[in-house]
């Protein structure tokens, strides 16, 4: 058994998050809020990838690993700010915490109480507790890519041209969701 499998996903996540947001006021409060929001026990989705208790933290770790690997191995992302990429990867789906209702059959229903777009809601929650750089906020806001709707396509292209961290996060989220987390 390697070290990563002996350390709980929650502890792995917290260790990476402490590293990513080191020195920022509110970091410890954000970690308490994640606990209160049930981030560590929430599924990542209602019907698709990691729709199990604890799936959200596992997904966030997968996205972080994929994003850092993209930064390390793809020259196109070599200039990305790795701290910004790591922060955004770990926190991109914070808005999902506590939003899943378990149905009697064991499946989940997503109840969006934020009434904002997916990325916007996560940015809003995070900014209540810690400072986000513009790069981090853009990456989180635009991590859904074209899935946020046709109305965003013109802006999305501009964001990806100016903020490679946003494109890196989107690609890492797709890698995690559609490759790493696909049930066989």
């Amino acid at each position: 058994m390697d070290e990563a499998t002996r350390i709980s996903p929650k502890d792995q996540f917290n260790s990476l998050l402490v590293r990513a947001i080191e020195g920022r006021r509110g970091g410890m409060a954000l970690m308490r809020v994640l606990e209160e929001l049930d981030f560590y026990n929430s599924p990542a989705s209602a019907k698709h990838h990691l729709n199990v208790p604890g799936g959200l933290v596992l997904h966030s770790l997968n996205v972080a690993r994929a994003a850092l690997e993209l930064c390390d191995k793809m020259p196109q992302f070599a200039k990305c700010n790795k701290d910004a990429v790591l922060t955004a990867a770990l926190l991109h789906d914070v808005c999902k915490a506590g939003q899943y209702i378990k149905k009697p059959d064991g499946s989940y229903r997503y109840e969006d109480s934020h009434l904002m777009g997916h990325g916007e809601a996560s940015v809003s929650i995070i900014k209540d507790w810690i400072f986000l750089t513009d790069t981090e906020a853009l990456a989180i806001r635009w991590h859904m890519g074209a899935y946020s709707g046709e109305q965003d396509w013109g802006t999305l292209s501009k964001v990806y041209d100016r903020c490679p961290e946003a494109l890196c996060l989107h690609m890492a989220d797709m890698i995690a969701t559609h490759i790493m987390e696909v049930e066989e």
Side-chain angles (χ1 to χ4, degrees):
M1 183 181 287
D2 66 11
E3 185 177 337
T5 56
R6 286 182 281 173
I7 301 170
S8 74
K10 177 182 177 180
D11 289 341
Q12 290 176 54
F13 178 91
N14 285 338
S15 175
L16 287 172
L17 185 60
V18 165
R19 181 177 112 198
I21 64 172
E22 184 175 5
R24 295 191 208 188
R25 266 193 354 238
M28 292 307 295
L30 174 63
M31 293 173 85
R32 283 193 303 276
V33 167
L34 292 177
E35 190 80 51
E36 291 169 12
L37 291 173
D38 209 25
F39 178 86
Y40 303 103
N41 297 311
S42 293
S45 69
K47 297 177 183 170
H48 306 290
H49 66 108
L50 293 175
N51 59 344
V52 295
L56 185 55
V57 70
L58 292 172
H59 172 68
S60 300
L61 286 167
N62 286 339
V63 173
R65 289 181 188 116
L68 292 176
E69 189 169 340
L70 287 170
C71 288
D72 288 339
K73 298 200 172 161
M74 289 193 71
Q76 297 85 345
F77 294 121
K79 291 183 181 180
C80 285
N81 177 324
K82 281 186 172 180
D83 288 333
V85 169
L86 180 59
T87 300
L90 291 170
L91 299 174
H92 75 284
D93 276 344
V94 163
C95 70
K96 290 182 173 185
Q99 300 298 301
Y100 291 95
I101 310 300
K102 195 162 196 169
K103 299 191 301 191
D105 66 2
S107 65
Y108 292 94
R109 175 176 52 85
Y110 183 71
E111 190 164 296
D112 184 1
S113 63
H114 302 296
L115 303 178
M116 294 183 187
H118 184 80
E120 293 92 335
S122 288
V123 168
S124 176
I125 292 166
I126 298 161
K127 280 189 160 193
D128 283 344
W129 301 101
I130 65 168
F131 170 78
L132 286 177
T133 66
D134 289 344
T135 297
E136 292 162 344
L138 283 170
I140 294 168
R141 160 54 181 101
W142 294 99
H143 81 271
M144 291 297 294
Y147 292 108
S148 67
E150 187 175 347
Q151 73 281 357
D152 290 337
W153 291 355
T155 305
L156 175 64
S157 183
K158 291 174 190 161
V159 169
Y160 287 167
D161 288 347
R162 295 180 194 163
C163 183
E165 292 86 354
L167 180 57
C168 181
L169 179 59
H170 172 65
M171 292 181 71
D173 192 28
M174 294 298 98
I175 290 166
T177 301
H178 297 289
I179 297 172
M180 297 169 75
E181 300 164 3
V182 173
E183 290 184 23
E184 300 198 12

